[in-house]
Amino acid sequence: MVGRPSMNSTLTKFAAAVAASWLVASAQPSRAEDPAPKGDRPASVTVISPIFGQLVRFAMPQDFVTVFERTRGRNYIREAVPKGETTEHWTQMMTVTGVKGLTQFTPQGFASAIGGGFKNACPETFAAKDLGATKLGDQDAFVVVLACGKVNSSADGHSEMVLLVVVKGSADGYTVQWAERGPTQTTAPAIDDAKWQERLHALMPIRFCAIVAGEAPPYPSCLGQK
């Protein structure tokens, strides 16, 4: 575990707050290099980590590093930011969360609950855009972009947007999030569909794989899935 964030360090904490109960083994994620950046997209690494009953895999920009990881009861959260940034001072943050044993939910309903937390933080400048239901391998998922023009509880009143991917795993619930901060806006921000669709594409493939007994990082059984 690295660092100890302020409780108001990021709106992405709403995902963990709404989830209420999370757990995971605290093993560090495996990182595999992706040597072929596409277009103007920066080089990425494939991140694979065992979280509850499955391996969680997604792509992350190469210059992001893990700055915080915590297990509390059934709660798990891991945060990564660009090199040189911290849990308090960041421009972008990637967050992975999970709920052990959470099966009685729909990804869209869970995304709506998290969206309610965002709206409470900025009722005057809140915006949301559904990118819709999807399948990530065999798992049901829902994708939405949430935005605050001004985070009322923050000292500087910054704006914040987050791409939220909610996934119903085989026995647990998960989110993968990509948040971005910006200057204060006095009205609800315009959500650039093309930009956030590209961010979603940059995370792919997001996959949830079976844990193979005795398999060590970099988890070739999951790394080989397309």
Side-chain angles (χ1 to χ4, degrees):
M1 182 184 299
V2 184
R4 180 180 177 84
S6 160
M7 290 304 292
N8 293 321
S9 67
T10 170
L11 276 179
T12 59
K13 295 284 194 305
F14 276 118
V18 172
S21 57
W22 304 71
L23 174 68
V24 74
S26 61
Q28 288 294 317
S30 168
R31 293 163 65 101
E33 301 292 331
D34 180 355
K38 301 171 179 63
D40 295 330
R41 197 183 310 156
S44 65
V45 293
T46 297
V47 180
I48 304 176
S49 52
I51 303 178
F52 312 127
Q54 290 178 278
L55 295 169
V56 179
R57 171 189 172 180
F58 64 97
M60 184 170 73
Q62 194 173 43
D63 64 340
F64 277 59
V65 294
T66 297
V67 290
F68 181 72
E69 185 175 28
R70 182 175 67 193
T71 300
R72 177 173 290 176
R74 297 172 62 220
N75 241 6
Y76 174 75
I77 184 169
R78 186 175 75 241
E79 298 169 336
V81 298
K83 292 176 182 177
E85 299 184 4
T86 69
T87 53
E88 286 84 14
H89 303 288
W90 52 270
T91 57
Q92 296 184 63
M93 178 178 282
M94 303 192 78
T95 305
V96 181
T97 63
V99 180
K100 183 177 176 65
L102 182 66
T103 57
Q104 302 302 312
F105 80 104
T106 65
Q108 184 172 2
F110 193 19
S112 178
I114 295 171
F118 267 71
K119 187 174 183 178
N120 287 340
C122 57
E124 305 87 359
T125 62
F126 174 76
K129 183 176 181 61
D130 290 350
L131 301 188
T134 189
K135 280 278 192 179
L136 299 174
D138 295 330
Q139 316 301 146
D140 291 330
F142 191 83
V143 185
V144 64
V145 179
L146 305 171
C148 276
K150 179 184 178 182
V151 180
N152 293 339
S153 61
S154 64
D156 60 357
H158 62 264
S159 62
E160 193 165 321
M161 287 193 187
V162 60
L163 172 70
L164 173 67
V165 183
V166 179
V167 184
K168 187 172 185 178
S170 59
D172 311 296
Y174 302 92
T175 73
V176 179
Q177 305 169 46
W178 191 338
E180 178 178 276
R181 284 180 172 173
T184 300
Q185 299 186 38
T186 57
T187 58
I191 296 175
D192 184 338
D193 184 75
K195 172 183 175 178
W196 292 100
Q197 289 282 4
E198 174 61 20
R199 289 274 176 93
L200 177 62
H201 187 62
L203 293 171
M204 297 298 175
I206 300 174
R207 289 292 181 268
F208 292 77
C209 310
I211 295 176
V212 177
E215 185 180 55
Y219 306 107
S221 65
C222 193
L223 192 60
Q225 291 194 22
K226 301 298 183 183

